[in-house]
């Protein structure tokens, strides 16, 4: 069932200006970067006011006096409609770390031009190797979604990015499921063949791996998603018509466990050719606005959510892309881009947010997270949550990206941050942590063992 505060959340807003947009916010640097989550939350709340709901947050760079931040925001809602929702900045420190299993969270943020994982599922090989070094791997669609392919490891949990953030922030947990009932929403596309192929893709999932589709609902008029790039170069965008999605979700309350959405993302036609002809040098223009949508719906409804783009027109479908760079090939050969998210949502874990339920047996929480693996320079809420939860972080330099942050400037505990060159080395650090071995002891020379003399005053009779 949907949270009690949510039915009818947006369906009364037809004709109003409820929309998802990206904002840029500059936040004064906190002293020594301490207590960053609460510091950022207070500044954002003062800056944005009550009618703006943050749904996605990243620090793109730091000057001497400011954090340059970018926020995906849901705007135009009435204040009372959002009071029952947790803020994305809500934080609950974990009281213990459970050590009976070793579990990793693996993230490659969407829309930052990551060298590995910036395209269609090309971080999957890294995910599969990382998965061998842990009992459970928690990862998100951007890592393993490869259009018609999804080769995520057997021990992986497919979790939308905002739900992973809540997991690390300590405000939500994950419950494994046998299968989900999935509600599929698609655009009422002007080209009927695209609608037919999308429905055929759902039917193929039902026929081949027993996918449980509650219903396919066609949105008319369609959801409007427009891609753009921010000043930092990140992919983002703007979304209108979200109330239509929420109306359908409200009408089917209790009949589904997860939501799949296939809709057009408007980008200039030249982006298609430029993206495929620049050998992966262009930031994927679709992923950022997709993440804004799924973050919003996961936050509003507390359900697994994923999105795949529909082709804009027959002209786009007819582009002769030639032989493309391997990281782009999955996108070049797909027509519906749908199968990856259907396979992921089929067994995506249930999101548990009730405080009392987080202590139930079988609920995977922040206490179960043994490490976080991220590209170097990435500072979003998952990184800040790991910092404050005392979770070891492994940052991979080889996965270059647009972000301009120095992770080593943050106030990590000794031995909490491990900056490595590549994912091979990341797996080695994970294996060391799992074995209870300080990773540095595998290298030579070893640091000198330090001895500190603590001198006390001469003993007196009063000390006896």
């Amino acid at each position: 069932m949907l949270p009690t505060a949510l039915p009818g959340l947006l369906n009364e807003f037809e004709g109003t200006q409820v929309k998802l947009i990206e904002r840029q916010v500059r936040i004064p640097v906190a002293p020594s970067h301490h207590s960053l989550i609460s510091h950022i939350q207070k500044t954002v709340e003062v800056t944005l006011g009550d009618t703006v709901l943050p749904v996605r947050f990243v620090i793109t760079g730091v000057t001497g006096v400011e954090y340059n931040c970018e926020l995906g925001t849901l705007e135009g809602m009435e204040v009372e409609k959002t009071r029952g929702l947790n803020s994305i900045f809500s934080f609950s420190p974990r009281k213990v770390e459970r050590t009976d299993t070793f579990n990793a969270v693996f993230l490659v943020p969407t829309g930052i031009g990551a060298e590995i994982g910036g395209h269609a599922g090309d971080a999957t090989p890294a995910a599969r190797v990382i998965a061998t070094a842990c009992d459970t791997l928690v990862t998100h669609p951007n890592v393993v979604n490869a259009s018609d392919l999804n080769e995520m490891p057997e021990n992986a949990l497919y979790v939308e990015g905002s739900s992973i953030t809540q997991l690390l922030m300590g405000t939500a947990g994950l419950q494994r499921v046998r299968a989900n009932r999935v509600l599929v929403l698609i655009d009422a596309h002007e080209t009927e063949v695209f609608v037919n192929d999308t429905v055929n893709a759902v039917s193929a999932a039902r026929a081949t791996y027993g996918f449980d589709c509650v219903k396919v609902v066609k949105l008319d008029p369609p959801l409007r998603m427009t891609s753009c790039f921010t000043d930092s170069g990140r992919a983002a965008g703007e979304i209108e018509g979200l109330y239509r999605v929420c109306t359908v979700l409200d009408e089917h309350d209790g009949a589904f466990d997860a939501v799949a959405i296939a809709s057009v993302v408007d980008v200039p036609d030249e982006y298609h050719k430029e993206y495929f002809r620049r050998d992966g040098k262009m930031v994927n223009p679709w992923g950022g606005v997709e993440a804004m949508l799924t973050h919003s719906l996961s936050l509003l409804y507390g359900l697994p959510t994923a999105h795949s783009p529909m082709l804009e027109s027959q002209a786009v479908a007819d582009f002769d892309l030639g032989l493309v760079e391997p990281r782009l090939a999955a996108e070049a050969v797909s027509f519906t881009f749908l199968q990856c998210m259907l396979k992921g949502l089929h067994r995506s874990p249930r999101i548990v947010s009730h405080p009392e339920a987080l202590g139930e047996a079988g609920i995977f929480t922040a206490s179960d997270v043994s490490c976080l693996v991220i590209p170097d320079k990435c500072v979003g809420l998952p990184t800040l949550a790991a910092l404050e939860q005392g979770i070891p972080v492994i940052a991979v330099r080889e996965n270059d990206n647009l972000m301009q942050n120095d992770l080593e400037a943050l106030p990590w505990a000794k031995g909490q941050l491990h900056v490595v060159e590549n994912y091979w080395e990341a797996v080695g650090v994970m294996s060391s942590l799992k074995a209870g071995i300080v990773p540095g002891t595998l290298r030579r020379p070893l640091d000198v063992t330090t001895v500190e003399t603590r001198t006390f005053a001469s003993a007196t009779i009063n000390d006896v």
Side-chain angles (χ1 to χ4, degrees), residues 98 103-107 136-140 155-168 170-177 298 302-304 347-354 357-369:
R98 286 192 277 269
N103 310 300
V105 174
F106 175 33
L107 300 178
T136 298
L137 177 67
V138 180
T139 194
H140 59 128
N155 63 335
L157 297 179
Y158 180 94
V159 183
E160 194 276 328
S162 69
S163 298
I164 292 181
T165 297
Q166 292 178 67
L167 169 72
L168 293 169
T171 57
L174 308 175
Q175 182 184 28
R176 289 175 173 84
V177 301
S298 293
L303 294 171
R347 293 184 176 174
S348 185
R350 185 170 293 114
I351 311 303
V352 178
S353 57
H354 195 288
L358 292 178
E360 293 290 333
I363 304 300
F364 186 102
T365 70
S367 294
D368 296 293
V369 178

Side-chain angles (χ1 to χ4, degrees), residues 2-229:
L2 302 182
T4 56
L6 297 180
L9 188 66
L10 293 179
N11 60 6
E12 66 187 72
F13 289 100
E14 184 168 1
T16 69
Q17 294 302 309
V18 175
K19 62 175 63 176
L20 277 164
I21 64 174
E22 189 85 2
R23 283 174 171 255
Q24 298 184 7
V25 179
R26 299 187 185 277
I27 296 176
V29 168
S32 302
H33 305 299
H34 281 287
S35 303
L36 268 179
I37 294 174
S38 61
H39 172 73
I40 290 168
Q41 180 178 13
K42 291 173 184 176
T43 306
V44 168
E45 289 176 349
V46 169
T47 302
L48 300 186
D50 291 337
T51 61
V52 177
L53 183 69
V55 298
R56 195 165 180 244
F57 171 83
V58 64
I59 297 177
T60 61
V62 184
T63 67
V65 296
E66 291 179 320
Y67 304 111
N68 296 325
C69 305
E70 293 176 357
L71 274 168
T73 59
L74 182 58
E75 308 200 1
M77 297 174 61
E78 294 182 7
V79 176
E80 59 268 22
K81 298 295 183 181
T82 63
R83 281 185 179 143
L85 301 174
N86 273 336
S87 165
I88 63 170
F89 300 106
S90 297
F91 178 78
S92 178
R94 63 180 187 175
K95 296 177 176 60
V96 297
E97 177 192 355
R98 286 192 277 269
T99 57
D100 51 331
T101 57
F102 188 88
N103 310 300
V105 174
F106 175 33
L107 300 178
V108 181
T110 308
I112 64 169
E115 188 71 17
I116 302 168
H119 302 288
D122 67 295
T124 303
R128 293 185 67 86
V129 174
I130 288 171
T132 66
C134 60
D135 295 286
T136 298
L137 177 67
V138 180
T139 194
H140 59 128
N142 190 61
V143 169
V144 295
N145 274 3
S147 301
D148 286 336
L149 306 172
N150 183 329
E151 293 298 323
M152 62 184 178
E154 287 297 319
N155 63 335
L157 297 179
Y158 180 94
V159 183
E160 194 276 328
S162 69
S163 298
I164 292 181
T165 297
Q166 292 178 67
L167 169 72
L168 293 169
M169 296 282 277
T171 57
L174 308 175
Q175 182 184 28
R176 289 175 173 84
V177 301
R178 294 185 179 90
N180 286 314
R181 302 166 300 164
V182 183
L183 180 64
V184 180
L185 279 59
I186 65 174
D187 268 355
H189 204 293
E190 60 185 17
T191 305
E192 188 175 7
V193 66
F194 296 150
V195 174
N196 292 342
D197 282 324
T198 300
V199 175
N200 285 338
V202 174
S203 296
R206 295 177 58 228
T208 57
Y209 53 89
F211 180 75
D212 187 354
C213 175
V214 172
K215 186 184 290 185
V216 177
V217 178
K218 188 161 49 175
L219 297 177
D220 188 11
L223 185 65
R224 181 170 177 79
M225 302 176 65
T226 306
S227 174
C228 71
F229 291 105

